[in-house]
């Protein structure tokens, strides 16, 4: 007799259940107890229930730090923009700087001192006046307090000193003449000195979640659930006028599919970063308006051009053929951007030629038709022939040493579109006789390989700020082979022009220089520019009539370099807030199609399957029971 | 209150009695050996984790500055110094071990927050989801598995085994999204994401509890659906092995009802291999379930680890590895101990 456990004495009734099951259950119960020593759960700022007219945004990026000195994720900086006003802000029309806390600004004769005149009568959400002292305090923290550098160190890099000469005047002195100062101050949220003064020692660990948080932007923070959601309330004291949305909630979704489902269901009012397929589904759903906004992002293929590092050393293992500008030209001619945009981006992108996207029209150069490198395999082949790359047996293109050319192409395995594009590129380059060895790898490894130069071609992309200084600065000679470089190309003339545009106080002249620099990069084929990707967004048009986009004409609602999208959100039955720029006419039509939608139909089908399955099981059971009876 | 000692006393006696039968001193020694082994394993994991993660490809500095759009030399230097990446590996290692011994898991590179805090925030949510799913899956698996084996070859057997295997085979991500589309969007029964209603609910702790359960339902059911097949199959096959054993014939000969023969005689013996697999999985409960967490935006440790790998966030990876390893070690320890009580053969060996 093999009765397993020695609990038989506990009585017949219990042992009937099988003592071993009891043991397993007990053990499972223990698993629920603290099995390992875990630290205390951190105190979470009290969540607040939404009140009044609520705008719920489904965000897919991390909500990490709401301390504006440290928040660097897209959502963090977005929340920072909503909570704290800036000295100047990129406007909604075309992102040129517009006065915010500062009413006006003027450079000194030598161009090294900028004097900002503060707007009068502006208040913090607790009623205290906003003065030049607050600006001085904020900037000085970033410049001198190591714990406050994370978010905006680069923006103040050229600052020598910041001083409030009186409550209405701030002077910023720079180390060298730098017109990008105005762009920089458009990135730094100003915090109230009277609140932050006693936080400076532990600023690094200060979470800034003790609500209500004193702010000056269109909304003030009123509740945080760590990493999961952020709740903001309309700021009655916002100098442009109170927003029409009473409560703004940002809720973290871990994937855009769930976010778009939440929009259909009505759990969310605004979603973004959609895929073309999700976008098209939402476009056809009633009560939802979809918008493909012109964005400030571009996608490119960078090349190992063989440029040397700043110390004169070579780096990595790039194929030497890429050092030849003619070879790069041929590759550029062999890429059909129209096909990529249509097949990979679902049509939601524009052809790219330069680093600065067309949403910043001031800084982009007009490419003449005769200079533009169109898709032309024949021309690409003849460029290669002329440059001395002959074809060998089997049509393989040979390098100058007579070896067949193979180029390694890296893509990120978390970006499906890159792998798709790689397939096309492989085919087109194949038509030149160039073999492409495509590897889809983790982004961390891709970063590693491109920094150390162990690649030939690699997909890349950047979000570009309103001032061209940052993006152009990433192409300087000193950044070749570092974590900071973009195209890793070196052209001393380009570097000279970079310094020139930085010191050019005349905007028209600066424009000219910036455009020349971009032309230079194009002529030099610094990278194979592919596309300006649109941001696919959608919102409940049965709850909100308009959002202000940036740029105002066909731009984006989320990921702006301003607060216009959320500030200008207008609930149905309301007029837009007084201080918001007029929303442009939306061209994307709101579909009238009604009916069940995917979810409804899927529900019906699954419901039917469940019912049929249930009936089947019931039938089977009845049959079995009767069979048992017979036994 | 007064009757608590009264009830614990006999229990203690029973335990003592059992221990005496099981060999007294040897149990203590057995436990001590196992505990010692566990502690050594954990220390090895801590050391291994440090070097393993640093051998991974990737450059955390690049990942940190990538999110910012712009950076400077000074910033890179400062970031490297902050995370001690400019120091030789062995000094980093000594610092890490020193911190660890003081109970400090370090600060996350990606989240810029103490690792212990990040893990602490997500620990119980992870246990709630994966623990609930495991409980349900074990209960369902054992129940259906034993019945399927008892009537092997029947339509019930074919259907239940088939269904379980189909669910086991479908991609979790896909199943999760279908559940979301059908039960949340289509039928409007459950919320689309998260662990609680953003901003909370009014109505006190009971309303909050209901709110959590409401959010828990879909992810827990999805996870259960995916994993219960393994318990079903193990239970089914081990019960099938017992089916022709002589003691069952004896039991039947005594005139016991069929259900009783199954529940009291066959199932307890067939449970042994299942216990092993349950405990193996229980150790992994802490690691969470990345795909389910991703679909339902459940902020668990699985997602946290996944995010950390992308950076790579060394302190966070080390921290999660240690917590995960500790859970597995403790569960294995528990399995060993419980096996001693459940299976007399282990005890006498």
């Amino acid at each position: 007799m093999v009765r397993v456990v020695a609990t038989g004495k506990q009585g017949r009734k219990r042992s009937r259940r099988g003592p071993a099951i009891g043991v397993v259950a007990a053990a499972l119960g223990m698993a629920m107890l603290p099995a390992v020593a875990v630290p205390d759960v951190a105190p979470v700022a009290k969540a607040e229930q939404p009140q009044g007219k609520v705008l719920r945004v489904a965000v897919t990026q991390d909500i990490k730090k709401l301390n504006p000195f440290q928040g660097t994720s897209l959502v963090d900086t977005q929340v920072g923009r909503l909570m704290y006003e800036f000295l100047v802000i990129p406007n909604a029309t075309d992102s040129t700087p517009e006065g915010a806390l500062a009413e006006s600004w003027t450079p000194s004769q030598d161009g090294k001192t900028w004097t900002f005149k503060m707007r009068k009568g502006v208040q913090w959400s607790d009623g205290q006046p906003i003065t030049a002292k607050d600006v001085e305090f904020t900037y000085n923290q970033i410049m001198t307090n190591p714990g406050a550098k994370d978010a905006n160190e680069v923006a103040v890099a050229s600052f020598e000193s910041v001083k409030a000469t009186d409550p209405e005047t701030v002077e910023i002195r720079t180390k060298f003449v730098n017109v990008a100062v105005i762009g920089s101050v458009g990135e730094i949220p100003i915090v109230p000195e009277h609140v932050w003064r006693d936080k400076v020692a532990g600023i690094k660990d200060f979470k800034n979640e003790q609500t209500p948080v004193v702010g000056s932007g269109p909304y003030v923070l009123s509740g945080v659930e760590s990493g999961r959601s952020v709740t903001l309330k309309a700021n009655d004291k916002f100098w442009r006028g109170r927003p029409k949305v009473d409560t703004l909630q940002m809720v973290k979704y871990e994937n855009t599919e769930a976010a778009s489902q939440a929009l259909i269901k009505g759990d969310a009012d605004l979603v973004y970063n959609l895929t073309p397929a999700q976008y098209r589904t939402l476009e056809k759903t009633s009560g939802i308006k979809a918008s493909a906004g012109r964005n400030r992002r571009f996608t490119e293929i960078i090349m190992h051009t063989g440029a040397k590092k700043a110390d004169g050393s070579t780096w990595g293992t790039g194929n030497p053929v890429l050092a030849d500008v003619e070879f790069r030209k041929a590759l550029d001619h062999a890429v059909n951007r129209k096909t990529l945009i249509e097949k990979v981006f679902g049509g939601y992108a524009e052809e790219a030629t330069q680093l600065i996207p067309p949403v910043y029209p001031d800084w982009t150069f007009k490419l003449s038709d005769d200079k533009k490198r169109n898709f032309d395999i024949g021309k690409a082949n003849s460029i290669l022939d002329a440059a001395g790359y002959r074809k060998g047996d089997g049509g393989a293109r040979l390098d100058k040493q007579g070896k067949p050319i193979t180029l390694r192409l890296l893509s990120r395995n978390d970006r499906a579109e890159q792998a798709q594009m790689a397939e096309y590129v492989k085919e087109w380059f194949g038509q030149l006789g160039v073999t492409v060895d495509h590897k889809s790898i983790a982004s961390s490894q891709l970063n590693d390989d491109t920094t150390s130069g162990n690649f030939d071609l690699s997909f890349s992309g950047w979000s570009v700020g309103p001032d061209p200084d940052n993006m152009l600065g990433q192409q300087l000679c000193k950044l070749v082979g570092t974590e900071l470089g973009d195209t890793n190309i070196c052209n001393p003339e380009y570097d000279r022009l970079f310094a020139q545009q930085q010191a050019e106080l005349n905007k028209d002249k600066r424009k000219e220089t910036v455009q020349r620099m971009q032309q230079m990069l194009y002529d030099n084929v610094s990278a194979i520019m592919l596309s300006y990707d649109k941001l696919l967004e959608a919102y409940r048009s049965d709850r909100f009539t308009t959002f202000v986009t940036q740029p105002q004409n066909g731009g984006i609602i989320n990921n702006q370099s301003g607060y216009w999208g959320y500030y200008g959100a207008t609930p149905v039955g309301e007029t837009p807030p007084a201080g918001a720029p007029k929303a442009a006419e939306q061209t994307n039509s709101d579909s009238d199609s009604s009916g069940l939608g995917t979810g409804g139909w899927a529900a019906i089908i699954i419901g039917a399957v469940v019912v049929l399955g249930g009936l089947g099981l019931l039938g089977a059971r009845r049959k079995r029971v009767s069979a048992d009876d017979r036994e | 209150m007064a009757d608590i000692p009264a009830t614990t006393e006999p229990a203690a006696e029973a335990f003592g009695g059992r221990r005496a039968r099981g060999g007294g001193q040897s149990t203590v020694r057995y436990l001590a050996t196992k505990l010692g082994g566990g502690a050594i394993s954990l220390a090895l994991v801590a050391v291994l984790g440090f070097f393993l993660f640093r051998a991974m490809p990737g450059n955390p500095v690049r990942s940190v500055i990538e999110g910012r759009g712009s950076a400077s030399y000074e910033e890179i230097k400062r970031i490297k110094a902050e995370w001690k990446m400019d120091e030789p590996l062995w000094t980093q290692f000594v610092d890490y071990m020193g911190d660890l011994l003081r109970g400090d898991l370090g600060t996350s590179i990606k989240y810029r927050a103490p690792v212990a805090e990040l893990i602490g925030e997500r620990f119980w949510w992870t246990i709630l989801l994966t623990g609930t799913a495991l409980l349900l899956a074990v209960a369902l698996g054992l129940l259906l598995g034993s019945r399927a084996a008892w009537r092997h070859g029947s339509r019930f057997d074919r259907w239940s085994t088939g269904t379980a295997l189909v669910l086991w085979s479908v991609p979790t991500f896909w199943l999760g999204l279908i559940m979301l589309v059908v039960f949340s969007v289509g039928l409007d029964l459950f919320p689309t994401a998260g662990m609680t209603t953003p901003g909370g609910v009014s109505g006190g702790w009971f309303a909050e509890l209901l709110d959590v359960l409401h959010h828990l339902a879909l992810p827990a059911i999805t996870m259960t659906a995916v994993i219960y097949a393994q318990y079903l199959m193990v239970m089914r096959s081990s019960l099938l092995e017992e089916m022709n054993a002589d003691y069952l014939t004896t039991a039947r000969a005594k005139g016991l009802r069929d259900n009783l023969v199954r529940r009291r005689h066959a199932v307890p013996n067939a449970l042994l291999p299942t216990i092993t697999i349950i405990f193996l999985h229980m150790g992994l409960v802490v690691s969470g379930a990345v795909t389910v967490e991703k679909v339902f935006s459940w902020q668990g440790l699985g997602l946290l680890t996944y995010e950390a790998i992308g950076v790579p966030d060394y302190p966070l990876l080390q921290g999660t590895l240690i917590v995960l390893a500790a859970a597995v070690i403790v569960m294995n320890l528990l399995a060993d101990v419980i096996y001693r009580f459940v299976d007399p053969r282990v005890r006498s060996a």
Side-chain angles (χ1 to χ4, degrees):
Chain A
M1 169 80 189
V2 192
R3 280 289 298 279
V4 176
V5 186
T7 45
K9 282 181 188 170
Q10 290 183 352
R12 186 182 162 80
K13 209 169 178 185
R14 281 191 66 180
S15 69
R16 270 186 63 189
R17 286 217 153 275
I21 290 181
V23 173
V24 174
L28 276 170
M30 283 178 74
M32 296 289 170
L33 294 173
V36 281
V38 266
D40 290 338
V41 174
V44 176
K46 205 174 172 303
E48 197 185 80
Q49 284 174 44
Q51 281 156 359
K53 296 217 160 68
V54 186
L55 168 61
R56 287 158 308 170
V57 187
V59 299
T60 45
Q61 293 108 337
D62 287 316
I63 306 171
K64 289 192 290 196
K65 286 247 162 179
L66 301 178
N67 176 338
F69 291 105
Q70 285 170 333
T72 51
S73 91
L74 267 172
V75 177
D76 293 346
T77 48
Q78 199 88 58
V79 175
R81 285 196 183 97
L82 296 172
M83 287 159 68
Y84 301 103
E85 183 61 286
F86 301 67
L87 268 189
V88 300
I89 185 169
N91 73 7
T93 319
D94 58 2
S95 300
T96 47
E98 170 186 310
L101 289 181
E103 229 165 18
S104 64
W105 51 94
T106 42
S108 63
Q109 276 290 309
D110 67 352
K112 285 188 181 171
T113 305
W114 289 83
T115 307
F116 292 83
K117 280 282 170 206
M118 300 289 288
R119 195 173 295 280
K120 291 186 187 78
V122 183
Q123 290 179 347
W124 294 105
S125 56
D126 63 356
Q128 299 271 335
I130 303 177
T131 72
K133 289 295 272 178
D134 293 309
V135 181
E136 182 194 277
F137 170 80
T138 305
Y139 287 0
N140 278 319
Q141 283 304 312
I142 301 170
M143 288 157 65
T144 58
N145 188 342
K149 284 180 184 288
D150 272 355
N152 289 308
E153 183 180 20
V154 178
V156 300
S158 66
F159 291 13
E160 192 178 85
S161 65
V162 178
K163 210 166 166 39
T165 49
D166 64 61
E168 279 152 28
T169 316
V170 189
E171 272 183 16
I172 298 180
R173 179 136 187 96
T174 55
K175 295 170 192 159
F176 50 89
V177 183
N178 182 11
V179 286
V181 163
I182 305 305
S184 299
V185 298
E187 291 173 24
I188 307 171
I190 306 296
V191 302
E193 185 185 5
H194 65 279
V195 176
W196 286 75
R197 198 183 298 128
D198 55 345
K199 309 283 192 285
V200 294
I203 205 160
K204 205 174 160 57
D205 299 318
F206 181 58
K207 293 196 160 173
N208 198 28
E209 291 178 1
Q210 250 61 50
T211 57
V213 173
V214 178
S216 57
Y219 297 91
V220 286
L221 187 71
S222 64
V224 184
E225 288 165 306
S226 187
R228 293 188 272 150
S229 77
V230 175
T231 307
L232 301 122
K233 271 194 319 209
N235 179 8
D236 297 327
K237 301 238 160 48
F238 184 50
W239 70 273
R240 288 180 198 270
R242 188 184 191 276
K244 290 299 168 77
V245 168
D246 300 302
T247 306
L248 169 64
Q249 226 172 23
M250 302 211 185
V251 182
K252 175 83 192 282
Y253 278 73
E254 294 291 346
N255 69 90
T256 52
E257 184 54 45
S260 64
Q261 293 299 334
L263 186 76
I264 295 174
K265 193 186 169 205
D267 280 359
D269 302 310
L270 173 64
V271 300
Y272 60 109
N273 280 341
L274 299 165
T275 64
Q278 289 160 358
Y279 180 83
R280 268 184 229 124
T281 307
L282 294 177
E283 218 176 15
K284 292 185 206 120
T285 311
S286 70
I288 288 173
K289 185 172 265 177
S291 143
R294 290 164 67 222
N295 199 358
R296 49 200 181 103
R297 245 196 92 75
F298 68 81
T299 302
E300 61 179 350
I301 295 177
I302 55 167
M303 295 171 275
H304 192 306
T305 60
K308 293 198 167 75
K309 288 175 93 159
D311 59 5
S313 61
T314 54
W315 60 296
T317 56
N319 193 320
V321 292
L322 291 169
D324 184 348
V325 66
E326 290 303 309
F327 192 90
R328 300 201 297 267
K329 262 183 200 159
L331 293 186
D332 202 41
H333 268 297
V335 173
N336 189 346
R337 293 165 178 84
K338 275 203 180 72
T339 302
L340 292 182
I341 287 165
E342 206 174 297
K343 303 284 184 198
V344 179
F345 292 96
Y348 302 113
E350 294 167 73
E351 281 189 50
T353 51
Q354 49 197 312
L355 294 175
I356 310 296
V359 290
Y360 306 122
D362 276 354
W363 310 113
T364 54
F365 76 100
K366 299 266 177 303
L367 183 60
S368 59
D369 282 344
D370 58 316
K371 280 212 162 186
K372 193 176 175 206
R373 290 186 291 270
N374 292 314
F375 173 61
D376 189 341
I377 296 280
K379 187 161 186 190
N381 268 314
S382 53
I383 292 175
L384 290 179
D385 291 338
Y389 301 97
R390 43 183 198 86
K391 278 192 172 177
D393 300 336
R397 188 69 64 173
L398 306 178
D399 64 14
K400 299 277 168 78
Q401 283 73 42
K403 272 192 273 167
I405 300 169
T406 300
L407 299 177
R408 295 161 294 173
L409 170 63
L410 305 181
S411 70
R412 288 170 57 150
N413 62 9
D414 55 353
R415 304 290 284 267
E417 79 274 9
Q418 292 190 355
Q420 280 175 280
M421 286 192 277
E423 287 308 306
Y424 285 102
V425 168
K426 217 166 150 176
E427 193 195 313
W428 293 324
F429 289 4
Q431 291 175 31
L432 308 181
V434 174
T435 310
V436 172
D437 175 17
H438 168 226
K439 277 202 176 67
S440 177
I441 53 178
S443 56
S444 52
Q445 192 180 349
L446 185 137
N447 284 342
D448 223 11
D449 286 347
T450 49
T451 306
S452 55
N454 292 317
F455 75 106
D456 298 315
L457 309 167
S458 173
F459 284 99
S460 178
W462 295 88
S463 260
V464 183
D467 194 287
D469 198 64
N470 276 336
M471 198 62 237
L472 298 177
Q474 275 167 286
Q475 327 299 327
L476 296 173
C477 288
K478 63 175 183 182
L479 300 185
V480 171
T482 68
E483 285 99 336
L484 296 169
D486 169 35
T487 56
N488 293 304
I489 205 151
C490 176
N491 180 351
E493 174 61 9
Y494 177 91
D495 284 23
R496 195 187 62 77
L497 288 177
F498 180 78
Q500 188 182 317
Q501 64 81 28
Q502 223 170 24
E504 183 54 72
L505 291 168
N506 181 318
K507 190 174 174 185
D508 286 334
K509 282 190 182 157
R510 185 178 180 217
K511 269 190 208 173
E512 209 176 284
T513 312
V514 166
Q515 291 174 6
R516 242 177 84 200
M517 291 168 74
Q518 295 220 77
Q519 176 83 54
M520 201 175 258
L521 292 173
Y522 186 79
D523 294 344
N524 210 1
V525 203
S526 64
I528 301 174
M529 300 299 300
L530 298 176
S531 60
Y532 302 118
D533 319 339
K534 290 193 172 172
L535 183 66
L536 303 183
E537 308 174 286
Y539 63 88
R540 296 289 326 186
S541 53
D542 50 1
R543 294 184 192 153
F544 292 87
T545 50
T546 44
F547 286 87
V548 176
T549 61
Q550 186 186 43
Q552 233 164 324
N553 187 12
I556 52 180
I557 300 169
N558 297 278
N559 291 357
Q560 292 185 357
S561 42
Y563 42 59
W564 309 110
Y566 300 137
Y567 174 54
T570 312
V572 166
E574 292 273 0
T575 51
K582 201 174 164 295
E585 276 302 306
Q586 307 275 345
T587 48
N588 298 291
S589 64
D590 177 12
S591 166
D592 286 333
S593 70
S594 56
L596 286 163
T598 329
W601 280 112
I604 289 174
I605 292 168
I606 302 253
V609 170
V610 169
V611 169
L612 285 177
L615 286 175
L617 269 179
L618 212 69
R621 193 178 162 79
R622 186 168 288 169
K623 218 167 166 183
R624 202 185 62 214
V625 168
S626 58
D628 284 349
D629 287 346
R630 272 202 299 278
E631 277 170 36
Chain B
M1 287 299 282
D3 60 357
I4 287 173
T7 51
T8 50
E9 210 173 335
E13 246 176 40
F15 185 67
R18 197 183 304 149
R19 211 172 55 174
R21 279 206 307 275
Q25 190 58 37
S26 73
T27 303
V28 177
R29 260 182 63 187
Y30 176 80
L31 272 179
T33 322
K34 289 283 171 193
L35 274 174
I40 291 170
S41 307
L42 196 59
L44 283 176
V45 165
V47 173
L48 193 74
F50 180 86
F51 293 102
L52 185 77
F53 293 129
R54 274 164 185 76
M56 261 168 49
N59 179 347
V61 178
R62 176 83 188 236
S63 302
V64 167
I65 60 169
E66 201 186 38
R68 302 188 190 178
S70 61
S72 65
Y73 273 134
E74 294 70 36
E75 196 176 13
I76 288 188
K77 249 172 77 183
R78 190 176 55 73
I79 294 170
K80 280 188 176 159
E82 190 182 341
W83 307 109
K84 295 178 182 164
M85 279 179 238
D86 51 353
E87 289 174 23
L89 200 60
W90 69 271
T91 43
Q92 289 184 43
F93 178 69
V94 170
D95 284 348
Y96 157 72
M97 287 311 274
D99 287 347
L100 199 61
L101 288 175
R102 282 192 298 276
D104 180 2
L105 291 175
T107 306
S108 156
I109 297 175
K110 181 181 164 107
Y111 293 92
R112 306 245 143 185
V115 169
E117 186 186 303
L118 286 168
I119 293 177
E121 267 172 15
R122 294 172 177 235
F123 186 81
W124 292 110
W125 289 109
T126 313
I127 300 277
L128 180 66
L129 172 62
T130 42
T132 309
L134 185 70
L135 269 179
L136 290 175
V138 167
L140 196 67
L142 297 193
L143 189 79
L144 294 180
S146 59
R147 279 165 195 267
W150 205 247
R151 303 181 195 288
H152 64 99
S154 70
R155 193 175 295 171
F156 174 80
D157 179 23
R158 288 203 307 274
W159 271 92
S160 61
T161 313
T163 312
L165 287 180
V166 166
L167 289 171
W168 169 252
S169 319
V170 298
T172 313
F173 198 82
W174 179 83
L175 182 70
L177 282 176
I178 294 290
M179 299 283 279
L180 193 77
V181 169
V182 175
F183 294 103
S184 173
V185 182
L187 301 174
D188 201 7
L189 294 175
F190 301 102
T192 41
M195 310 182 289
T196 52
T197 302
V201 288
S202 52
W205 67 269
F206 188 68
E208 280 173 22
L209 179 73
L210 281 183
D211 187 45
V212 170
L213 291 178
H214 195 201
H215 282 80
L216 174 68
L218 266 192
I221 291 169
T222 306
M223 205 173 156
T224 306
V226 173
I227 63 172
Y228 85 93
Q230 42 190 336
Y231 307 106
L232 185 148
M233 294 312 285
V234 172
M235 189 63 205
R236 183 176 173 275
S237 65
S238 55
L239 189 58
L240 276 179
E241 271 173 36
E242 301 288 332
M243 292 280 286
N244 296 321
D246 291 343
Y247 68 88
L248 292 188
T249 318
T250 313
R252 286 205 182 87
K254 286 198 299 189
L256 289 180
R257 278 186 293 124
D258 197 44
N259 262 348
L260 273 187
V261 176
R262 176 169 61 85
R263 286 214 298 251
R264 283 177 56 183
H265 295 263
V267 169
N269 279 303
L271 260 181
L272 290 174
T274 322
I275 291 179
T276 315
I277 171 173
I278 291 172
F279 273 95
L280 275 178
H281 289 161
M282 243 165 19
L284 297 172
V285 158
V286 174
S287 72
V290 179
T291 38
V292 175
E293 288 172 14
K294 185 106 185 153
V295 174
F296 295 100
S297 306
W298 191 275
Q299 304 228 316
L301 288 175
L303 267 183
L304 189 69
T305 315
Y306 175 76
E307 298 285 333
I309 290 172
V311 175
D313 190 335
Y314 301 136
L316 189 51
L317 283 171
Q318 286 153 6
T320 48
L321 180 75
I322 287 170
V323 171
L324 174 61
V328 172
I329 289 168
V330 168
M331 282 304 145
N332 275 346
L333 213 69
L334 215 59
D336 282 340
V337 174
I338 284 179
Y339 237 78
R340 256 175 99 76
F341 296 116
V342 175
D343 189 348
R345 287 167 299 188
V346 176
R347 201 163 45 211
S348 57

